Amino acid sequence: VPGMQEFKGQIYHSSELDGKDVRGKKVAIIGGGASAIEAMEFIAKNKAEHTSILARSEKWIIPRNPVVDSLLSMNVYGGETSTSWIPERLLRLFFYRDLSDLAPPPGSTGLFESTPMVNNDVLELIRSGSAQWLRGDIRHFDKSGIAFNKRAQGTPKGGPGRGIHVDADVVIMATGFGRPSLDFLPDDCFEDGYEPPNWYMQVFPPMHFDIDAINCTYVNAIGTVGNYHIGIYTRMLLMYLIDPLARPREPLMRLWINMVRWVKSNAPGYVYNPHI
């Protein structure tokens, strides 16, 4: 980002937060995904004075509620459908409420078109005045913070906005991580028609129940993220390795993949691709 060398505060990547002191400081988080949400939780726990999340994209936030999340995950298509407006409207009405401007506008990014953030605290921190969520584009750093182009709801990236200054003592780059390479895996993990993400649960190659490629093949959809997501698949792998009777057999793994591909092929707006 232009001007980073002029900034007088500290700049950290979101992977470097353990042990960092943010108490009583103004913190700006660059990014609006899972890393940003986790950084915000860290900052709130460590009593920062104020937090600003600077996000470029429209992003859904859903409550961390097992009933709500289970109902949303029951969309077998794994994508937008003709009835997706119903949960989106309910989320705006009962979860966002007075902060509906922070949700993607109707007709733009659908709830099932990206991986939503699962968090109860973000909106409450904003309501309390200890945090703000700003949609827009970063112009440059300066000595005391970040020059930011704040965009209105529905305005695309790089579109017109209002220039503001975000004061900060600490800036956290919640810019994500590179997807791990799978090049070291055996060639039969990439057989035609069953290459990633066409794996069992998007994680296990059909011929290898003992390979657990967490987050390496995942594509956008309603689902778990972060430590919870990793924990689920780690437990599955341990179960497979410890109990031979629990292991999925290769024909059934292929049947699952074929079924999911067939179901998604009937989703509204889906364009058939034999490799998706």
Side-chain angles (χ1 to χ4, degrees), residues 19-275:
K20 298 298 189 294
D21 181 18
V22 297
R23 183 179 295 271
K25 297 181 179 180
K26 297 177 181 177
V27 181
I29 302 174
I30 296 178
S35 297
I37 296 297
E38 291 176 355
M40 189 173 192
E41 291 176 337
F42 170 86
I43 292 165
K45 181 180 178 181
N46 287 275
K47 309 298 183 182
E49 176 186 339
H50 189 268
T51 307
S52 301
I53 292 186
L54 312 181
R56 289 187 305 169
S57 305
E58 307 281 1
K59 200 73 174 179
W60 281 98
I61 303 172
I62 62 177
R64 185 173 284 149
N65 179 292
V67 175
V68 174
D69 297 342
S70 295
L71 290 173
L72 291 174
S73 66
M74 289 174 68
N75 173 9
V76 295
Y77 289 111
E80 284 290 287
T81 71
S82 58
T83 59
S84 294
W85 63 271
I86 298 175
E88 292 172 8
R89 182 170 294 182
L90 291 174
L91 284 172
R92 288 191 177 91
L93 182 63
F94 294 107
F95 184 57
Y96 282 89
R97 303 193 304 276
D98 55 313
L99 299 176
S100 59
D101 176 68
L102 299 182
S108 64
T109 304
L111 178 61
F112 295 91
E113 289 181 331
S114 64
T115 303
M117 301 299 99
V118 184
N119 190 275
N120 291 331
D121 301 327
V122 173
L123 298 183
E124 294 308 316
L125 289 170
I126 295 172
R127 289 188 177 101
S128 70
S130 60
Q132 60 179 344
W133 187 291
L134 301 174
R135 177 194 299 108
D137 309 289
I138 295 172
R139 291 177 172 173
H140 58 82
F141 277 75
D142 58 28
K143 293 180 180 181
S144 59
I146 296 172
F148 190 73
N149 178 48
K150 182 181 177 183
R151 290 186 270 108
Q153 185 186 49
T155 305
K157 298 177 185 178
R162 178 171 62 91
I164 64 172
H165 187 270
V166 179
D167 296 334
D169 305 306
V170 176
V171 173
I172 296 173
M173 308 295 289
T175 48
F177 303 84
R179 189 181 293 272
S181 171
L182 299 173
D183 294 345
F184 65 94
L185 292 177
D187 290 341
D188 56 13
C189 291
F190 305 94
E191 59 178 310
D192 188 40
Y194 296 95
E195 62 277 274
N198 290 314
W199 283 358
Y200 184 66
M201 309 297 284
Q202 290 192 24
V203 170
F204 301 95
M207 296 182 67
H208 296 278
F209 67 83
D210 53 344
I211 294 177
D212 187 0
I214 303 171
N215 287 342
C216 298
T217 71
Y218 191 74
V219 294
N220 286 335
I222 290 286
T224 56
V225 295
N227 293 336
Y228 186 65
H229 175 73
I230 294 171
I232 288 175
Y233 286 113
T234 301
R235 285 167 174 78
M236 290 174 66
L237 175 61
L238 290 174
M239 180 177 66
Y240 295 163
L241 296 177
I242 293 172
D243 184 0
L245 296 178
R247 296 172 186 170
R249 290 181 288 125
E250 181 182 338
L252 292 179
M253 296 171 83
R254 294 180 186 275
L255 177 63
W256 171 268
I257 295 168
N258 294 336
M259 181 190 70
V260 170
R261 184 188 286 116
W262 177 80
V263 168
K264 287 189 175 183
S265 70
N266 293 286
Y270 179 83
V271 177
Y272 176 73
N273 184 326
H275 299 299

